[in-house]
Amino acid sequence: MTLETTSPVTSLAVVLVSGGLDSMVAAARAREDGHGLLALSVDYNQRHRLELASARRIANALGAVRHVVLPLDLSAFGGSALTADIAVPKGGVQPGIPITYVPARNTIFLSLALGWAEAAGARDLYIGVNALDYSGYPDCRPEFIAAFEGLAELATKAGVEGAPFRIHAPLQNMTKADIAREASRLGLDAGMSWSCYDPAPGGLHCGECDSCRLRKKGFVEAGLPDPTRYAV
């Protein structure tokens, strides 16, 4: 399935597509803004392959001009329950930065997206971070996005020559309920996306990790049916 483009394509944008609901909505917003999509997913040797399968479905459905799945084994560093043999917490969202934080992940991913954008002549990058209903990750904050945009201007030939990059975080100030509603408005099949950190047997979302809890909460508060298949 490829969804119809809502605006004429006027430029290219590099979009980070993890396979999750947030990145799917961010990519659809980029398309709505009139960009052709260069979809970038990173195979960082995360705990499971299901989110990468979702990323491929999403890129195809949104009619991406090109989809690159880039291998970059962050498990060599470890330091996270998503890249090392550390149990994923299931007791509910807690204050502070959780063990599912992958050290500097969004900095690394945006750097890769920036490199592709400069090579492709794109000036817009989209990322699905959000700072309201989130799990305490420091690299989802507005200050980080603003700082990276400044860094992109300083660190690239394009930026130095007066063609700066724009880092778009269209979900930055949305709740998970807002994001669920936005997916509905954009005509997206939220069931294509994958959010769970620790899948249950049979390809089910576990229903208990922070990401599952936030996803469930979003659909409930939005008053929308949740197409996700949970084990619990």
Side-chain angles (χ1 to χ4, degrees), residues 19-39:
L21 179 64
D22 295 356
S23 72
M24 179 171 70
V25 173
R29 283 285 295 270
R31 192 189 60 167
E32 185 177 55
D33 290 344
H35 299 295
L37 306 185
L38 298 176

Side-chain angles (χ1 to χ4, degrees), residues 136-179:
Y137 300 138
D139 52 1
C140 288
R141 296 174 298 163
E143 303 95 312
F144 165 71
I145 297 299
F148 193 93
E149 189 171 83
L151 174 113
E153 184 170 354
L154 293 172
T156 60
K157 178 176 182 289
V160 169
E161 293 180 349
F165 297 88
R166 294 169 294 275
I167 313 298
H168 301 267
L171 316 186
Q172 186 78 82
N173 297 310
M174 291 186 180
T175 65
K176 286 296 182 185
D178 293 333
I179 294 167

